[in-house]
Amino acid sequence: MQFEILKKDRNSGARLGKCHTAHGVFHTPAFIPVGTQATVKAMTPEELREVGAEIILSNTYHLYLRPGHERIRRMGGLHRFMHWNDPLLTDSGGFQVYSLNSLVKVSKEGVQFQSHLDGSRHFISPEKAVEIQEALGADIILCLDECTAYPASHEEAERSLELTLHWSRRCRDAHRFPDQALFGIVQGGMYSDLRQKSAETLVEIGFDGYAIGGLSVGERKEMMFQVVAETAPLLPQDRPRYLMGVGTPGDIGEAVRQGLDMFDCVLPTRNARNGTLFTRSGKMVIKNAKYAEDSLPIEPGCRCYTCRHYSRAYLRHLYLAEEILAVRLNTIHNLHFYLRYMSDLRQAIAEDRLEGFMQDFNSQWESGKEPASEGPESLPPRSGGRQRISFEGTHGLTKSFRMNLKNQQGGEFDV
Amino acid sequence: MQFEILKKDRNSGARLGKCHTAHGVFHTPAFIPVGTQATVKAMTPEELREVGAEIILSNTYHLYLRPGHERIRRMGGLHRFMHWNDPLLTDSGGFQVYSLNSLVKVSKEGVQFQSHLDGSRHFISPEKAVEIQEALGADIILCLDECTAYPASHEEAERSLELTLHWSRRCRDAHRFPDQALFGIVQGGMYSDLRQKSAETLVEIGFDGYAIGGLSVGERKEMMFQVVAETAPLLPQDRPRYLMGVGTPGDIGEAVRQGLDMFDCVLPTRNARNGTLFTRSGKMVIKNAKYAEDSLPIEPGCRCYTCRHYSRAYLRHLYLAEEILAVRLNTIHNLHFYLRYMSDLRQAIAEDRLEGFMQDFNSQWESGKEPASEGPESLPPRSGGRQRISFEGTHGLTKSFRMNLKNQQGGEFDV
């Protein structure tokens, strides 16, 4: 993988970049749609490209359990399996192991857990995490890490960090394929000294890119941005910086100004399934009665397929009727919104007007804000230790063949 | 509407036709995908056209209840509402009223029932059925009829027929718009004399087309075809004949030979959602373990989007993972299969080789038949009277926001 910085913003840490992977190029700052089970829910690869996606994410944990990484390898790898021939990123599964399982045992050797699908026992070492991702064949892969609980004492966060650093070294050693870029993940909780230690040690070990993990886990936004602001300058300029699990458009814009290049988040896709649509003037809850006969598109001027052809009234009807087409049309719009926003961000950086763009965007966003009635914007706080979070509603874990589209506080599984 | 017979088969009752409606042309014999709630589940209009659909069906009963026919009228009509600018057919709602409601009261004046959505009471007269369909604006609309229970005594079937004929006259009188074609529906249970009386009376009243209703309600196939064989010759040659709710490809082929022109059925779409895929060699149950690493498409040689890009292994994975994309890809294939089959039928009629085509098709279909493990091919038998059928599983009636994709014996609602 080659990361090319095309331009550095003069007034902030933002960078305009281009990342060359074994399966093509993506431009940064980039938003990465999340596709947990070898599919970005409801979208075909062609539609993803049509809305502007250049790179997508798939979850190692889920694919390891079903259909299995060896099976995917035998089928020719994940790109081929899911008909996505463009840049692909897999995470290591660390986060999902914790968020989806109640019986997780962590040791220096790795993570032991039970499958949320059938209760079978599994063990993943750092080497295994790399091996699985090698079999899947993504262009960018991640180290196995421990996502530090929040809140955590300094002692807990330090112990957790040591584990992650130990695992990161082993992932680095196990990493074989040059056409797969391996990213290290900065942890350290909300402690500046630990974050610093983490960043410096990862740089010392040396990775193809650096992710910042363990944020957007229930902490206040200000704290998250403080950690980002302190961490980014410690990472090499010439490598991509990936802020995991973030965020709202405003969050992304702020993090871009602090020098982050890559972002993944379930917000656009999950909100779509819950009938919440993104517009420049804030979020729209489509089931609201006021849209019952509204012939306007979601956002007048939006060029996505949904806005070019369908009224709010029809989208509301589909949503209330629990139709699959509701999920599709909403997802198309929200992903188009996010990816268009990233494109606008890149354009603003290129033209030295990032600050003005962000101000305009943020003020318009705040101006029209509907009261948020659909779910939290970040994951619920994690309890101390590695106990399973109790999420409301089913999130794909039911055995019967049902899709719970109202899962607003779903875990990583329902993306 | 103008119905043009392009060719009559010399060796059977089959006809090749072309139907000109206010929103364009469709060719007969035609298969009409079913789209209950102003959407053919999971498909956009563009995709429907891409798989070969020229006309689709929407259910009056459901749209009357939600979002309401007046609302749709104010939004510019159903074509515009759902972005389908091609031929559109609505049924009168008669069947759904019975199949979805337990408290149905029938009188000469019409049908009183309770909404399956919220229990509210409603009354639909023949005039109201026409009014609703006028508001929706479909190109072909149907008379209000009573779908005679099966089994029914001769006396019951006759009483039921008298009601339908009475209502048919009133629908005809209420019918106003010349660009909306009104079809009468032949009833009469399984009794030749009643079917004859029904057909002759409807022809006397005079309609733009003639549907045959009250079949595929639990009777043996041989009985259904006997009724069809006796009824078709009694209908005018120069009007389309529409066999409602039928059927498998083999059924359709047989009915085409007996002179039927139009067919609607939930089989391809519902089976798709249940992971059952149509091939020339019979039905394939995609969740079967033998497909776990099968890199072939569903049907080698099939030119649908799904078969051009995805393996059975991936489709199986998606289905087991309960992903929306599974529904989409399966539906695309099954509809393509059905519509391609209709195209082949038309071609065979045009080239005077219908018999040979049917023989080849039927023998290949029978040759590879997997044991049918997913649901019956026709609706379960109706009990006498108008009691609600108890269907297994939820079929969209649950209040919580879930889509039961495993509804194999679903009523008309889950199409």
Side-chain angles (χ1 to χ4, degrees):
Chain A
M1 184 195 82
Q2 270 190 323
F3 181 56
E4 203 188 330
I5 293 179
L6 303 173
K7 184 186 174 89
K8 284 187 193 179
D9 190 45
R10 278 175 286 189
N11 304 316
S12 75
R15 312 99 71 70
L16 192 65
K18 199 168 166 183
C19 206
H20 304 256
T21 77
H23 283 83
V25 162
F26 65 95
H27 297 86
T28 64
F31 178 77
I32 312 171
V34 182
T36 307
Q37 306 194 93
T39 161
V40 176
K41 282 189 180 5
M43 300 286 283
T44 61
E46 288 82 0
E47 285 164 348
L48 284 166
R49 276 188 283 275
E50 208 175 298
V51 294
E54 296 184 311
I55 173 171
I56 62 176
L57 176 157
S58 214
N59 289 115
T60 292
Y61 168 78
H62 297 106
L63 296 179
Y64 162 74
L65 290 177
R66 176 181 64 195
H69 61 295
E70 281 296 323
R71 172 162 290 166
I72 292 179
R73 190 184 54 75
R74 288 190 294 267
M75 297 298 300
L78 187 52
H79 289 88
R80 189 163 166 182
F81 191 56
M82 62 185 290
H83 181 52
W84 173 261
N85 294 314
D86 291 308
L88 182 60
L89 180 151
T90 48
D91 66 358
S92 62
F95 183 78
Q96 285 82 33
V97 164
Y98 296 114
S99 61
L100 292 168
N101 294 284
S102 47
L103 298 167
V104 177
K105 287 198 191 116
V106 172
S107 71
K108 228 179 144 202
E109 286 312 303
V111 190
Q112 184 183 305
F113 63 96
Q114 280 184 282
S115 161
H116 68 283
L117 293 179
D118 63 7
S120 54
R121 289 183 188 284
H122 299 269
F123 179 77
I124 293 191
S125 63
E127 291 76 16
K128 182 85 176 172
V130 171
E131 179 195 319
I132 293 168
Q133 294 180 87
E134 283 180 344
L136 297 176
D139 304 289
I140 297 174
I141 66 176
L142 277 291
C143 286
L144 182 67
D145 67 329
E146 187 181 59
C147 186
T148 308
Y150 176 81
S153 67
H154 189 279
E155 191 184 342
E156 285 170 341
E158 182 161 27
R159 183 211 48 73
S160 176
L161 173 58
E162 288 302 330
L163 193 60
T164 290
L165 290 176
H166 172 70
W167 287 350
S168 303
R169 283 189 181 87
R170 287 170 58 176
C171 284
R172 177 87 255 170
D173 291 341
H175 181 230
R176 292 182 294 167
F177 302 151
D179 59 349
Q180 270 191 317
L182 177 63
F183 281 24
I185 306 179
V186 177
Q187 293 287 353
M190 307 299 155
Y191 300 99
S192 305
D193 63 324
L194 297 180
R195 287 281 176 178
Q196 179 176 356
K197 175 177 185 182
S198 178
E200 290 175 349
T201 310
L202 289 179
V203 174
E204 210 179 285
I205 297 169
F207 289 96
D208 302 309
Y210 298 87
I212 300 178
L215 293 178
S216 200
V217 288
E219 79 281 8
R220 276 168 34 253
K221 285 268 171 88
E222 294 80 2
M223 186 174 290
M224 174 174 90
F225 285 122
Q226 192 183 323
V227 171
V228 171
E230 289 175 1
T231 307
L234 304 174
L235 301 171
Q237 283 279 327
D238 63 349
R239 299 274 199 266
R241 293 97 167 254
Y242 169 23
L243 183 54
M244 304 185 80
V246 172
T248 63
D251 293 347
I252 291 175
E254 176 61 24
V256 163
R257 287 162 72 221
Q258 292 181 14
L260 274 292
D261 309 300
M262 295 162 61
F263 306 86
D264 80 277
C265 194
V266 301
L267 268 184
T269 40
R270 187 178 294 167
N271 274 352
R273 296 194 299 281
N274 292 333
T276 297
L277 301 159
F278 282 81
T279 79
R280 294 283 161 127
S281 311
K283 298 200 285 190
M284 169 185 289
V285 177
I286 199 61
K287 72 181 182 190
N288 197 308
K290 67 183 171 186
Y291 301 121
E293 295 193 26
D294 193 333
S295 59
L296 286 178
I298 298 163
E299 180 143 56
C302 175
R303 301 302 303 156
C304 82
Y305 169 78
T306 303
C307 287
R308 281 186 284 119
H309 299 298
Y310 302 97
S311 64
R312 294 168 180 180
Y314 182 65
L315 296 172
R316 178 177 182 270
H317 162 70
L318 288 181
Y319 182 77
L320 293 174
E322 302 179 19
E323 283 287 344
I324 289 175
L325 194 58
V327 177
R328 288 190 59 189
L329 297 180
N330 293 351
T331 300
I332 286 170
H333 171 79
N334 278 0
L335 282 180
H336 180 274
F337 181 91
Y338 258 70
L339 294 158
R340 177 59 197 263
Y341 172 74
M342 300 310 291
S343 169
D344 289 348
L345 268 178
R346 294 192 294 267
Q347 193 73 17
I349 297 170
E351 295 170 7
D352 285 310
R353 48 177 187 80
L354 179 60
E355 196 64 37
F357 172 79
M358 284 312 306
Q359 278 176 17
D360 290 345
F361 183 89
N362 287 333
S363 61
Q364 194 182 349
W365 176 264
E366 292 298 324
S367 72
K369 201 160 191 154
E370 283 202 35
S373 55
E374 295 288 40
E377 284 183 357
S378 58
L379 294 171
R382 306 256 319 256
S383 57
R386 281 156 293 289
Q387 278 150 4
R388 178 187 179 187
I389 306 300
S390 155
F391 292 101
E392 282 179 19
T394 54
H395 37 110
L397 305 184
T398 53
K399 292 204 162 60
S400 64
F401 199 89
R402 286 189 305 246
M403 205 133 23
N404 185 332
L405 301 174
K406 246 194 184 159
N407 182 25
Q408 302 173 22
Q409 286 196 8
E412 283 301 295
F413 188 72
D414 178 36
V415 297
Chain B
M1 183 195 82
Q2 270 191 322
F3 181 55
E4 203 187 330
I5 294 180
L6 303 172
K7 184 186 174 89
K8 284 187 194 179
D9 190 45
R10 276 175 286 188
N11 304 316
S12 75
R15 313 100 72 70
L16 191 65
K18 199 169 167 182
C19 206
H20 304 254
T21 77
H23 283 83
V25 163
F26 65 94
H27 297 85
T28 64
F31 178 76
I32 312 171
V34 182
T36 306
Q37 306 194 96
T39 162
V40 176
K41 281 187 178 6
M43 301 285 283
T44 61
E46 288 82 359
E47 285 164 349
L48 285 166
R49 277 188 283 277
E50 207 175 298
V51 295
E54 295 184 312
I55 173 170
I56 62 176
L57 176 156
S58 213
N59 290 116
T60 293
Y61 168 78
H62 296 106
L63 296 178
Y64 162 74
L65 290 177
R66 177 181 62 196
H69 61 294
E70 281 297 323
R71 172 162 289 165
I72 291 178
R73 187 184 55 74
R74 287 190 294 268
M75 298 297 301
L78 187 53
H79 289 88
R80 189 165 168 182
F81 192 56
M82 63 184 291
H83 181 50
W84 173 262
N85 294 314
D86 291 308
L88 182 60
L89 180 151
T90 49
D91 64 0
S92 63
F95 183 78
Q96 286 82 33
V97 165
Y98 296 113
S99 63
L100 293 168
N101 293 283
S102 47
L103 300 167
V104 177
K105 289 199 191 116
V106 173
S107 71
K108 230 178 143 205
E109 285 314 303
V111 190
Q112 184 183 303
F113 63 95
Q114 280 184 284
S115 161
H116 68 282
L117 293 180
D118 63 7
S120 53
R121 288 183 189 284
H122 300 267
F123 179 78
I124 294 189
S125 62
E127 292 76 15
K128 182 85 178 173
V130 170
E131 179 196 318
I132 293 168
Q133 293 180 86
E134 282 180 346
L136 297 176
D139 304 289
I140 298 174
I141 66 177
L142 279 288
C143 287
L144 182 68
D145 67 329
E146 186 180 59
C147 186
T148 307
Y150 176 81
S153 67
H154 189 279
E155 190 184 343
E156 285 169 341
E158 182 162 26
R159 182 211 50 73
S160 176
L161 173 58
E162 287 303 329
L163 193 61
T164 290
L165 290 175
H166 172 70
W167 287 349
S168 303
R169 282 189 183 86
R170 287 171 58 176
C171 285
R172 178 88 256 170
D173 292 339
H175 180 229
R176 292 182 293 167
F177 301 151
D179 60 347
Q180 269 190 318
L182 177 63
F183 281 25
I185 306 178
V186 178
Q187 294 286 351
M190 307 298 155
Y191 301 98
S192 305
D193 63 323
L194 296 179
R195 287 282 175 175
Q196 179 176 355
K197 176 177 183 180
S198 178
E200 290 174 350
T201 311
L202 289 179
V203 173
E204 208 179 285
I205 298 168
F207 288 96
D208 302 310
Y210 298 86
I212 301 179
L215 291 179
S216 200
V217 287
E219 78 281 7
R220 280 168 32 254
K221 286 266 172 88
E222 294 80 1
M223 186 173 290
M224 174 174 89
F225 286 120
Q226 189 182 325
V227 171
V228 171
E230 290 175 359
T231 307
L234 303 175
L235 302 170
Q237 283 278 328
D238 64 347
R239 298 275 199 268
R241 294 96 168 256
Y242 169 22
L243 183 54
M244 303 186 80
V246 171
T248 63
D251 293 346
I252 291 175
E254 176 59 24
V256 162
R257 285 163 73 224
Q258 291 181 14
L260 276 291
D261 310 300
M262 294 162 63
F263 305 86
D264 81 279
C265 194
V266 301
L267 267 185
T269 41
R270 187 178 295 166
N271 274 352
R273 296 195 298 282
N274 292 334
T276 297
L277 302 159
F278 282 81
T279 79
R280 293 284 161 126
S281 310
K283 297 200 287 190
M284 169 184 289
V285 176
I286 199 60
K287 72 181 181 190
N288 196 308
K290 68 182 169 186
Y291 301 122
E293 296 194 25
D294 194 335
S295 58
L296 287 178
I298 298 163
E299 179 143 56
C302 176
R303 301 301 302 157
C304 82
Y305 169 77
T306 303
C307 288
R308 280 185 285 120
H309 299 299
Y310 302 97
S311 63
R312 294 168 180 180
Y314 182 64
L315 295 172
R316 177 177 183 270
H317 163 69
L318 288 181
Y319 181 78
L320 293 174
E322 302 178 17
E323 284 287 345
I324 289 175
L325 194 57
V327 177
R328 286 190 61 188
L329 297 180
N330 294 352
T331 299
I332 285 170
H333 172 79
N334 277 2
L335 282 179
H336 180 273
F337 180 91
Y338 258 69
L339 293 158
R340 177 62 196 262
Y341 172 73
M342 299 311 292
S343 171
D344 289 347
L345 268 178
R346 292 192 295 268
Q347 193 73 15
I349 297 169
E351 296 171 6
D352 286 310
R353 49 179 185 79
L354 179 60
E355 196 65 36
F357 172 79
M358 286 309 309
Q359 277 176 17
D360 290 347
F361 183 89
N362 286 333
S363 62
Q364 192 182 351
W365 176 264
E366 291 297 324
S367 72
K369 201 162 193 150
E370 284 201 35
S373 55
E374 296 287 38
E377 282 182 0
S378 56
L379 294 169
R382 309 249 326 248
S383 57
R386 278 157 292 294
Q387 277 150 5
R388 177 182 177 190
I389 304 300
S390 156
F391 292 102
E392 283 180 16
T394 54
H395 37 113
L397 304 184
T398 54
K399 291 207 164 58
S400 65
F401 199 88
R402 285 189 306 246
M403 206 133 21
N404 186 332
L405 302 173
K406 246 196 186 157
N407 181 24
Q408 302 171 25
Q409 286 197 9
E412 282 302 297
F413 188 74
D414 179 32
V415 296

